[in-house]
Amino acid sequence: MRAEPEDSMHDLRHHGDAEVRDDGSALVDLAVNVRSGTPPAWLREHIAGSVAGLAAYPDGRAARAAVAARHGLPVERVLLTAGAAEAFVLLARALKVRRPVVVHPQFTEPEAALRDAGHTVDRVLLREADGFRLDPGAVPEAADLVVIGNPTNPTSVLHPAADIARLARPGRTLVVDEAFLDAVPGEREALAGRTDVPGLVVLRSLTKTWGLAGLRIGYVLAGPETIELLTRAQPLWPVSTPALAAAEACVGPRALAEADGAARRVAADRSRLLTGLAEFAGRGVRAVEGAEGPFVLLRLPHAAAVRERLRTLGFAVRRGDTFPGLDQRWLRVAVRDRGTTDAFLEALGRALDAD
């Protein structure tokens, strides 16, 4: 694990959806981590019902209260956002920080937002040799903003909450991106709802588990002072009425039970995927161990060529070289149902055979 300054070697604005645009639109999508088969019918109907109220300006009070109740927090600790991506922009613009540090490899939007806001960003790179696991001591003591994902995209590593909490310091803002935490059965290692960790800011997304990437809805959990700063940086009415309706519905008891069931199915489907990938170990394919998210990170020979061959065979996977700390040897693959996984594994074997 090492620290390094920002550079321009990685395309921080490349995301998985680029793999399935235009000529990739007909491919089986293993590049985007949105759960397949979503949103469910009941949620689509609920969102559609909100359209009748579009003449009125959005009123986020009920949704904000529902999110607060879901995490056992007062509403003053909740901010609704147009997806987690907006929250990264608000943090970069609203917080007065001198030395921000982003722990990589991880989702690249936090660093991109900080750089766009004029900040010089330091990186702490987690090492493959350590299983891409966090060593809290590697983060510079002088950092006054630290960003980390849990479970981390793209490595799928779930860091112990205690290790992440060790990053907290007086005068430091600790941002934990928990966009995929609801895909972990029981939401193990969650920090959402904690008020005993100084400077803690937790980001959650409702787009991944519920298939709402096109609607843009997420939220921030933080101290009231931080929420007030972020609120001032937001435009008026930042979250649409349909998105507010979705937020309220997705944090209710019925939705939470459904999400936990989905997380358990994802865990079973991921196990099948990893078992299948292990069959290719003799051909240089290695999955990062201990995956806990709805995706796995693979290292394999000639990954870029294999990715292109997979496209010709009907499958889109996410290139890994745009993530700081990774290079062209890496691919990220979303977890899907048994039938899709089996078809992908067959295609991967054929793609490897071409070498």
Side-chain angles (χ1 to χ4, degrees), residues 280-312:
F280 299 112
R283 299 161 76 179
V285 177
R286 176 188 175 276
V288 173
E289 295 181 358
E292 295 280 359
F295 46 87
V296 297
L297 182 64
L298 308 180
R299 189 191 69 195
L300 64 162
H302 314 296
V306 169
R307 172 176 158 270
E308 290 301 322
R309 291 174 197 142
L310 284 169
R311 293 180 73 84
T312 67

Side-chain angles (χ1 to χ4, degrees), residues 7-355:
D7 62 39
S8 57
M9 293 174 59
H10 298 86
D11 181 2
L12 301 181
R13 294 296 190 188
H14 180 91
H15 300 296
D17 60 322
E19 309 281 357
V20 289
R21 293 192 195 124
D22 303 327
D23 64 341
S25 60
L27 300 178
V28 176
D29 182 4
L30 304 182
V32 175
N33 293 324
V34 173
R35 183 164 62 98
S36 60
T38 53
W42 67 265
L43 181 55
R44 292 198 303 270
E45 292 168 4
H46 181 80
I47 294 170
S50 72
V51 173
L54 291 185
Y57 285 94
D59 183 349
R61 289 177 295 177
R64 188 183 184 196
V67 170
R70 182 255 198 269
H71 292 287
L73 295 171
V75 293
E76 294 80 11
R77 285 181 167 268
V78 176
L79 179 69
L80 303 175
T81 60
E86 186 204 9
F88 291 124
V89 173
L90 296 176
L91 288 163
R93 293 177 178 176
L95 300 185
K96 307 301 181 185
V97 296
R98 299 177 307 279
R99 190 176 179 186
V101 170
V102 179
V103 179
H104 284 290
Q106 77 150 351
F107 184 49
T108 53
E109 278 302 308
E111 179 171 328
L114 286 162
R115 291 171 62 175
D116 288 347
H119 298 285
T120 298
V121 182
D122 286 343
R123 296 172 178 168
V124 169
L125 301 182
L126 306 185
R127 300 190 311 149
E128 178 189 3
D130 299 325
F132 295 109
R133 300 191 176 277
L134 173 68
D135 172 8
V139 175
E141 193 65 31
D144 56 359
L145 172 70
V146 178
V147 185
I148 186 170
N150 205 37
T152 301
N153 171 19
T155 64
S156 206
V157 169
L158 182 67
H159 305 290
D163 286 350
I164 295 179
R166 285 174 56 196
L167 297 174
R169 303 281 191 281
R172 171 186 287 179
T173 300
L174 173 59
V175 179
V176 184
D177 177 7
E178 291 188 349
F180 293 101
L181 213 293
D182 60 353
V184 176
E187 297 197 359
R188 293 179 291 107
E189 310 303 342
L191 287 168
R194 294 272 297 269
T195 60
D196 60 322
V197 180
L200 177 65
V201 177
V202 174
L203 276 55
R204 285 288 182 106
S205 170
L206 297 173
T207 65
K208 311 300 191 299
T209 287
W210 297 107
L212 299 174
L215 195 61
R216 311 308 307 142
I217 180 63
Y219 54 88
V220 180
L221 307 174
E225 301 83 1
T226 300
I227 295 296
E228 179 61 26
L229 283 173
L230 301 181
T231 301
R232 291 176 188 170
Q234 266 189 323
L236 290 174
W237 311 294
V239 181
S240 70
T241 295
L244 292 171
E248 189 172 359
C250 290
V251 296
R254 171 186 177 177
L256 295 181
E258 183 173 326
D260 188 63
R264 296 180 190 281
R265 288 192 296 275
V266 166
D269 290 337
R270 184 180 59 242
S271 178
R272 183 174 184 85
L273 173 60
L274 290 170
T275 298
L277 290 169
E279 297 296 319
F280 299 112
R283 299 161 76 179
V285 177
R286 176 188 175 276
V288 173
E289 295 181 358
E292 295 280 359
F295 46 87
V296 297
L297 182 64
L298 308 180
R299 189 191 69 195
L300 64 162
H302 314 296
V306 169
R307 172 176 158 270
E308 290 301 322
R309 291 174 197 142
L310 284 169
R311 293 180 73 84
T312 67
L313 296 169
F315 292 87
V317 298
R318 170 68 156 89
R319 57 189 280 202
D321 61 314
T322 63
F323 293 99
L326 301 182
D327 55 30
Q328 293 186 346
R329 298 173 299 165
W330 298 91
L331 299 174
R332 191 191 69 195
V333 180
V335 173
R336 296 291 188 247
D337 62 89
R338 176 173 182 161
T340 303
T341 293
D342 289 349
F344 165 71
L345 291 169
E346 181 181 356
L348 178 60
R350 293 171 62 188
L352 291 168
D353 284 341
D355 281 335

